[in-house]
Structures are given as structure tokens and as C-alpha cells.
Amino acid sequence: MAKIATVSMESDPRSKDANLAKMKAFACDAARQGAELVLFPEESLTGVGTEGMYMVCGDDKRYICEVAEHVPAGPSTQELMELAREQGIYICWGMAERDKDRSDVTYNTMVLVGPEGYVGKYRKVHLPLCERLLHYPGRDGYKVFDTSIGKVGIEICYDICFPEVARSLALQGAQIILSQTGWPNLTGKEDDPDHLVVDVFHRARANENMVVVVSSNLSGKNF
């Protein structure tokens, strides 16, 4: 059975370099503990902005456009790909991806790399609230990838609310679904009902499809 590490980390909304360094340290620590795959939260590399998903400001949009990268050609993907080869593990993270044809178009993207190199990516389809002012929705469908630990499907945050997403992944043969989240906790309390509901969604999708669902949520302010 595969050993998977999930990281709940605080992502700096204005320092991609700091986030990358933190992610590399977590990945190496997970590898030392025998993990075969390490999952990071939604947009862990580039951040979700200073205002979260309930508000948006021009500076957030400008910053995201500045730090977004092409996948897999971008430097961060190349760096994490090399780390995955060195450590012999799979690394899955979230980031802002730049469109290859338009510099002002970005996607909330989930990237998977492994010992064999680049495995694949998925662009978030369901964009809630103000997120649709920052990114464009993905149009490439739901993805399942063959890996040495089994068939892995990937989805991002709000996607988990729609049963069709997980069902599509399961019908493609997914044995494991990786779910990155940036699910908010506005009250800061452990029993915040809006925050706890995401666990209900994950359990429901796992039971409906008889697959393993592994999630990773952002931490820190508002999470």
C-alpha cells in the first residue's frame, strides 16, 4: 500500500521563492519518513492572494500574473521535478499557471511530477466567488494519471462539491483521488461549520466511488 504525506502549510501571498523553499523542505522530510507521494495545498506555490476568495484587489491580480509560470517548462516545475527524481517520490502542488498564448490569462493548476519526471497537470474547473476574477476555468477535462503507486486522479477544492468530478475520475480508473484545498475558516474556530463541511464532502466522494481521497488544505490566516 502506498505511503502518502499530506502537508497543511501556510503560503506566503507575496513570495513564491519562500513558498518553494518551504515546499522543498517538506518534501525532503516526507521522503526521509518513507513517503512515496507528498501532496501540497491549493496554490501553495504562488498563494491565493491577500484577500482570500471572498474579496479581490487589483494588486492580487497583478501579482498572480507576474508570478504565474508555464507548465511544465517553468522554473518551479523544473526544480520540483528534479527534486522528485533525486528523492524518488511524487510531488503534487498547486500554482498559478500562465496561458501559453495570453500573458493576462492564468489558471489555478495542480501539477504532478515524479521519479520519471513530469506526469501531468489539471486546471481547476469550478471557480467559486471572487476566484473567477483571478483565474480562468480549465477546459481540458478531469485527469487520471498512471503512476508507480496506482492510478491517481486529481481535483481542486470547490471541485469536491460536485459528485460528477470524483465520479468521472473513478470511471477513468482512479484508485486514489488527490484533492487540494484552500477551504476558508472565517471564524477561526475548530468547529466552524463552513470549514468542517469540506471533510463531509471528501468522505462522501470516497464512499460514493469506493476510492481513497487524500486532501491537503492551506493553513494560517483565514484557513
Side-chain angles (χ1 to χ4, degrees), residues 46 113 115 125 152 169 180 191:
T46 47
V113 298
V125 172
V152 175
L169 297 173
Q180 299 177 328
D191 60 350

Side-chain angles (χ1 to χ4, degrees), residues 204-217:
R205 301 296 89 88
N207 287 323
E208 289 163 353
N209 297 287
M210 299 301 290
V211 298
V212 174
V213 175
V214 182
S215 78
S216 175
N217 195 48

Side-chain angles (χ1 to χ4, degrees), residues 56 73 78 83 91 98 108 115 147 149-150 183 215:
V56 68
Q78 291 295 313
L83 181 65
I91 304 174
R98 186 185 307 280
N108 181 340
T147 74
I149 63 172
W183 204 274
S215 78

